[in-house]
Amino acid sequence: PSTYDRAWAAAIGAMQEQGVTINEQDRAGGVARGTRGPIGVTAVVRTRPDGRVQVEFNTTGTASDPALVERISESYNRRMGR
């Protein structure tokens, strides 16, 4: 699979691994959105001009679990072999 495909699959898997329910996936647009309780989670996967793939995770409403985005990032890195 391409680097983008690997990154996309790892991002979705990392979110699910941390208990996030995926509500919307736009693979072509590079955006996945989900929720874990009251917390909203967004993953953005994009190919940079230099050909590398960049992945960003953002959360909203994190008062109940401020470390969720860090755990998702750690899960993503493990899935990507980092």
Side-chain angles (χ1 to χ4, degrees):
S2 72
T3 303
Y4 183 92
D5 291 340
R6 285 185 60 231
W8 177 261
I12 297 293
M15 291 168 69
Q16 292 173 327
E17 183 177 309
Q18 294 303 324
V20 176
T21 300
I22 306 298
N23 301 320
E24 178 186 339
Q25 290 187 51
D26 177 5
R27 191 187 169 291
V31 179
R33 290 186 176 86
T35 53
R36 181 170 182 243
I39 301 171
V41 181
T42 302
V44 179
V45 181
R46 66 177 139 254
T47 302
R48 295 169 29 149
D50 64 5
R52 296 188 321 178
V53 175
Q54 177 179 350
V55 178
E56 293 179 21
F57 296 102
N58 295 294
T59 54
T60 57
T62 58
S64 61
D65 189 355
L68 177 60
V69 74
E70 291 173 28
R71 292 196 312 275
I72 293 171
S73 293
E74 290 168 3
S75 292
Y76 171 80
N77 287 333
R78 274 195 310 276
R79 288 169 175 271
M80 290 299 286
R82 297 179 186 156

